[in-house]
Amino acid sequence: MSVKFADLNLDKNILSALQSEGYETPTPIQAQSIPHALERRDIMASAQTGSGKTAAFLLPVLQHLTRRSEKPGKGPRALVLTPTRELAAQVEKNALAYAKNMKWFKTVSIVGGSSFGYQIRALAKPVDLIVATPGRLMDLMDSGKVDFERLEVLILDEADRMLDMGFIDDIEKIVAETPEDRQTLLFSATWDGAVGKLARKLTKNPEVIEIERVDEQGKIEEQLLYCDDMRHKNRLLDHILRDANIDQCVIFTSTKAMTEVLADELYDKGFAANCLHGDMPQGWRNRTLMDLRKGRCKILVATDVAARGIDVPTITHVINYDLPKQAEDYVHRIGRTGRAGRTGLAITFAEVNEYVKVHKIEKFIGRKIPEMTIEGMEPTRKRSKSGDKPKGKGKGGHWGGKGGFDKDKKFGGKKSDGKKEGFKKRDGKAADGGFKDRKKSAPAGKGKQGFKK
Ligand code: AMP
């Protein structure tokens, strides 16, 4: 018989909140983690995004918080560290939903891009839970605004990603400020390499929990489409966006600059497209996510980091316009679709000379991505292992013909490698200005032609 939330010894206020969220049964990660976490055991859980991992750590934390702190003071009793602001916002939102009947519960989000003043004022009052990105938390710790004296639970969400983003030193400094007798709950897609080492350092006799990968549960159909060059890729994209039965779609590019360029191109083609990347001001990022949630934005062109934590069940398609730099990002990307028990389609483009990178991804996920072609749009070039650019029209260009652009020229003579410098040079404007201009003239949802619903 499967476990029910009612079997997990959770407070009635939490159970009724879960009921109003429509949660009927715990997901496998929840069923396995919650009992150990309630016994105050440390946990190392390998869980993918979409598995329900957020509730797996928040529910036992909330349950623990229903008992009064034994230590005096105002500092947080629980701390969740996340790699991105978006994920922090998602975690905070879930915490507030699960704690909606716990009127006394206070949480504060400590992330970059938001007002210091507000965060400092919030930290001056008693707080139960902090959800933070490491950089901003370090800033506030350095100025003596955070007191971890009464911290009881430390959670690292997407720990592997935090290390990929270079947060190791910050994490170690933060952890050094927390009490030795804390409980530590770690969630990560992998424990290979540095993240495993860190986990062993931070935990005491942890319960190790492995969950079947979400993408192996068959909710997300995957397709691989080889293309000759950028021009061919753009024709395929155009074809897919027009013909597929798409509700909402996230397109991943490898650089911040490219998200803007592609979103502009798509908007000009009549799609309700917008972009999301880490150099955008936080207010715009929030508004773009709101547009996506409300369905006003149909196509979001995003970078890996910015798209982490996006949890919008109506995303039916993910398109990997560029291959992810790291194989594990593939899993995070495709996890933006097939959310909340729905199905999704993840289409990956690869230029013919990128097949070695494709093999690396396939090795990581432990299966082949089914290769497809679109009739009349098959690749004509042969695969070469060298990774050299195919000979011939090297420039590619968007959507072909006159409207196409020369990628190198557009980024001030540099290749679009995502460096801020190259990005800023785009039409001689600052990054923010460029973005705002496009946004002004292109409010989400007002594309000339949307998707078929
Ligand atoms: P997460 O992996 O934490 O990002 O959760 C993925 C999605 O599943 C979110 O939309 C959650 O609200 C939802 N979810 C988490 N746990 C459950 C559950 N037990 N029943 C139904 N939906 C859930």
Side-chain angles (χ1 to χ4, degrees):
M1 213 177 72
S2 64
V3 183
K4 301 222 168 33
F5 280 116
D7 303 328
L8 293 177
N9 292 324
L10 294 169
D11 189 89
K12 63 177 185 336
N13 282 330
I14 300 176
L15 289 175
S16 62
L18 292 177
Q19 208 172 7
S20 38
E21 283 299 295
Y23 292 11
E24 284 169 9
T25 46
T27 65
I29 187 77
Q30 292 161 4
Q32 291 191 41
S33 306
I34 293 172
H36 295 295
L38 288 174
E39 285 171 10
R40 312 279 300 138
R41 290 278 310 274
D42 283 358
I43 285 179
M44 275 171 70
S46 337
Q48 304 289 308
T49 174
S51 60
K53 65 182 169 61
T54 316
F57 59 76
L58 283 179
L59 298 179
V61 165
L62 292 177
Q63 177 63 36
H64 183 66
L65 292 176
T66 58
R67 283 193 297 273
R68 280 187 184 283
S69 169
E70 285 163 12
K71 294 181 189 167
K74 289 188 290 201
R77 297 178 62 192
L79 167 67
V80 181
L81 289 178
T82 72
T84 65
R85 299 165 192 181
E86 281 73 19
L87 187 57
Q90 195 65 45
V91 170
E92 194 193 18
K93 188 173 142 247
N94 285 16
L96 289 169
Y98 307 146
K100 72 173 190 172
N101 303 319
M102 297 159 59
K103 299 295 175 214
W104 46 267
F105 174 74
K106 289 275 177 299
T107 179
V108 51
S109 168
I110 303 290
V111 297
S114 304
S115 140
F116 267 106
Y118 171 79
Q119 294 175 358
I120 290 168
R121 282 194 298 281
L123 288 173
K125 295 181 201 147
V127 57
D128 298 296
L129 171 74
I130 288 185
V131 185
T133 47
R136 176 58 70 91
L137 184 62
M138 277 299 298
D139 289 345
L140 288 168
M141 282 168 63
D142 288 345
S143 51
K145 305 291 181 205
V146 197
D147 171 13
F148 284 132
E149 275 286 296
R150 57 172 205 158
L151 191 95
E152 290 155 86
V153 197
L154 168 72
I155 298 122
L156 265 55
D157 190 12
E158 301 196 358
D160 54 329
R161 188 67 187 165
M162 282 197 274
L163 296 205
D164 287 349
M165 290 169 71
F167 285 133
I168 180 84
D169 291 343
D170 285 352
I171 291 173
E172 289 193 330
K173 282 185 203 147
I174 293 166
V175 173
E177 296 294 313
T178 63
E180 270 283 313
D181 63 355
R182 61 161 201 273
Q183 181 185 23
T184 308
L185 310 177
L186 305 181
F187 289 75
S188 181
T190 170
W191 297 113
D192 292 344
V195 70
K197 222 166 125 186
L198 177 74
R200 284 187 290 277
K201 214 159 106 183
L202 300 191
T203 54
K204 292 188 196 94
N205 183 27
E207 183 68 31
V208 179
I209 296 167
E210 288 261 4
I211 295 296
E212 187 194 10
R213 301 171 88 96
V214 184
D215 39 329
E216 281 167 5
Q217 292 168 8
K219 285 197 297 176
I220 303 167
E221 186 189 334
E222 294 161 89
Q223 295 179 357
L224 174 66
L225 282 166
Y226 276 106
C227 54
D228 291 327
D229 51 24
M230 286 269 281
R231 190 182 296 269
H232 185 199
K233 191 189 279 194
N234 289 326
R235 282 201 297 125
L236 290 171
L237 180 64
D238 193 41
H239 179 89
I240 289 165
L241 292 180
R242 288 181 192 289
D243 289 355
N245 192 15
I246 294 176
D247 190 351
Q248 279 175 298
C249 169
V250 180
I251 301 177
F252 285 96
T253 65
S254 54
T255 68
K256 295 169 188 170
M258 197 58 181
T259 62
E260 292 232 348
V261 174
L262 191 56
D264 277 348
E265 296 275 347
L266 290 172
Y267 185 80
D268 289 345
K269 299 286 272 183
F271 295 105
N274 220 327
C275 64
L276 186 75
H277 62 72
D279 281 351
M280 281 162 54
Q282 191 60 36
W284 284 113
R285 284 164 73 167
N286 293 344
R287 239 160 292 161
T288 304
L289 286 174
M290 184 57 76
D291 283 343
L292 186 73
R293 269 186 215 112
K294 299 264 180 212
R296 294 190 286 261
C297 167
K298 297 289 182 186
I299 303 176
L300 183 72
V301 189
T303 54
D304 289 285
V305 170
R308 278 260 168 158
I310 291 180
D311 181 18
V312 179
T314 42
I315 295 171
T316 48
H317 288 61
V318 164
I319 298 176
N320 291 316
Y321 181 85
D322 294 320
L323 286 174
K325 289 197 186 98
Q326 297 172 55
E328 58 260 44
D329 285 335
Y330 176 82
V331 177
H332 286 284
R333 285 180 176 194
I334 70 169
R336 297 307 107 213
T337 184
R339 314 267 312 165
R342 302 191 190 199
T343 55
L345 177 61
I347 300 170
T348 298
F349 293 147
E351 291 190 29
V352 282
N353 58 329
E354 290 181 310
Y355 78 96
V356 175
K357 288 189 196 165
V358 172
H359 288 177
K360 273 194 191 147
I361 294 170
E362 291 179 332
K363 206 169 154 214
F364 179 80
I365 60 177
R367 60 179 183 277
K368 282 201 87 61
I369 309 172
E371 208 176 309
M372 319 283 280
T373 51
I374 293 175
E375 211 181 323
M377 300 177 85
E378 297 84 355
T380 53
R381 290 180 204 272
K382 285 222 174 75
R383 288 173 205 182
S384 76
K385 202 174 176 177
S386 64
D388 293 339
K389 282 265 163 228
K391 292 195 181 74
K393 296 174 202 145
K395 281 175 184 165
H398 265 247
W399 310 105
K402 284 182 194 157
F405 68 86
D406 177 335
K407 222 170 123 197
D408 294 352
K409 212 164 153 192
K410 192 128 187 171
F411 297 110
K414 274 192 170 185
K415 277 226 150 71
S416 61
D417 58 359
K419 287 188 186 130
K420 234 172 167 180
E421 201 188 345
F423 175 64
K424 278 189 178 156
K425 277 185 188 156
R426 193 171 153 250
D427 15 274
K429 284 180 195 153
D432 296 350
F435 176 72
K436 279 179 186 161
D437 278 354
R438 195 176 72 73
K439 182 91 184 180
K440 245 184 239 162
S441 61
K446 295 222 174 111
K448 289 160 215 151
Q449 73 198 50
F451 285 105
K452 289 185 217 154
K453 274 246 169 190

